[in-house]
Amino acid sequence: MAGTVCIAGELWRLNMSFFRKLLGPPNIENLKSRRDLDGLVKALHYQDSPQVRQQAGQALGEMGDRKALNPLLSILQNSKEQPSVRWTAATAIGQLKDAGGLKPLLVLAQNKQDVILQSKAIKAIGQITDPQAAREHVAALAISNKEIQKASTHALQVMGRQAVDALVEGLQHKDGNTRILIIELLGASGDRRAMVPLLGIMKDDPMAEVRLKAMKALVSMGGVPPKEAFIVASNDPSAMLRAEAARQLGLIGGVEVVEALIECLDDESVNVQQTALQALGKSKDKRLIEPLVKVAESDDEVLRKRAFGLLEDLGEEAVEALIKLLKSKREYVRVLAVDSLAKIGDKRSIDPLVTVLKDESKQVRTKTANALQKLGWSASRDINGAMYWRLLGKWEKCAQTGDDARDLLFEAFSQVSFDDRLQIAQVLGRRGDQRCTPGLIQMLADTTKQLIRIDEESNKFDSEDTGEERLAAYMNDDSPGHATYRMEMQERDKMRERFDQRRETARREAASIIKTLESVTHQKLGEDSDKWRFWWEKEFDGGQD
């Protein structure tokens, strides 16, 4: 009996196969044009032609009717099905955008046995934008496959605000990187429903990077969270987040904000301190003065300059504090304090600056003289005035302040330029002070030696091979060596010009020295430095006291 049934079944199958061949394969285009869903589903299981099944799957995807989801899933999950048919089914499921297709696609997207099917599944994942799939997409962000993460991220972005609830739930995910992806999506959504959860993350998340991302997301949402949250964040364990909090506080402004930023100036991180100073901008709050004075003594150059810049912005209010910094043990601090006082231009700083004219640092002294000049100080006729004019290089005015200035001028003689030395000698000479004469005689001797040295070098150079013998060999312009020879001769001519220039400079200097000696001593002893030295030693018995 059983054998009879088996034979009957086989005959039925053969008959059906015969009739299918007799009738031909389904007309997919006709079924598609009539939107015949049942017909296309039947064609999806047409056994005699994988091509027909593939065309049917493609048509079902293009129709977009979600009733086709289960038939397509049966093809997708059938490991015995032709690969090309499964690929088409994956694409079609993506086109349906139905949330029910996401889980199977995620499974196949992580299967590396068929890389094409894996790729098709990942692409389809990004097309499942049904809000019902939001939670599945959020969960998919934790999958280590970057392409899957990108696909789900894209789908969630398309959903926009419809995905916010699922994203907020995902903020509790144990993986920090997943939380970061979720935070970025919430920030991009601009939905203010996410603000309170993000504030919680900014305050309490165990990962500094996550807290920082939450802060940036809150700012990017088109509004800022309560400034109290940023004030709390300014004390965060992460220096990176404290710096960002300081920057955001600067954008908010307000009395409480200034207090928080002042606290940031004591931060152990230089970056946080720098950011806080920048955030303070051009604040005129008097409470900044004392903290800025402290920062002005910092070892960090950027901090120092920004602190002094803010003190300058405070103007007259900061003058007293800057005057205190003139007594700093650090030279660079005193220099900056002098510059800042000059920029503010308050007359109260003149007297304190006058005392700095005796500073141990030449740079500080010079800066101070320039500052006093800018402030319009009427130099006193005493040692302070003499120091002031000396630092400005005004030798005659320096001498006019009194006899004490002569020692300053003589001291400066050996420290200044050639022309200034001649001027100092003349200024002192007009007052009967010839202490610079031995120095002038030595300058003349040195210049004479320099002239002799230049002549020796020039003669030696001229005595070397000039290439005249080669000139005969290269008279023909077509000769390869002619151009090389000509270049050598040009270089030699340039060298001779340099000798002539050095010689002329030395001669001018010698003439200037002799002229100054004659003016100071009222003697005319010519170019011979030995004659001048002999006269000096004879006349003054070794020099003038």
Side-chain angles (χ1 to χ4, degrees), residues 392-433:
L392 293 179
K394 305 294 185 180
W395 313 118
E396 181 61 38
K397 289 186 176 182
C398 178
Q400 290 172 1
T401 61
D403 292 340
D404 290 339
R406 294 184 184 183
D407 290 338
L408 288 177
L409 288 169
F410 181 65
E411 180 186 349
F413 178 80
S414 61
Q415 302 171 357
V416 295
S417 67
F418 177 87
D419 290 337
D420 282 331
R421 274 181 281 173
L422 298 183
Q423 290 181 34
I424 289 173
Q426 291 171 1
V427 168
L428 288 174
R430 285 194 290 271
R431 288 160 175 80
D433 190 327

Side-chain angles (χ1 to χ4, degrees), residues 308 312 322 326 332-345 353 363 367-368 370-371 374:
F308 275 105
E312 290 166 17
L322 288 167
L326 292 174
Y332 50 76
V333 174
R334 299 197 300 276
V335 168
L336 291 172
V338 170
D339 284 342
S340 294
L341 287 169
K343 290 176 183 176
I344 293 172
L353 284 171
Q363 184 183 11
K367 288 275 188 181
T368 301
N370 291 325
K374 186 175 181 180

Side-chain angles (χ1 to χ4, degrees), residues 5 34 95 114 119 142 204 235 244 260 263 325 412 457 485 506 518:
V5 172
R34 292 189 287 110
Q95 290 173 309
D114 185 340
S119 173
D204 303 326
N235 294 305
E244 180 63 20
E263 291 183 13
L325 288 170
E457 292 176 4
Y485 168 78
E518 291 174 350

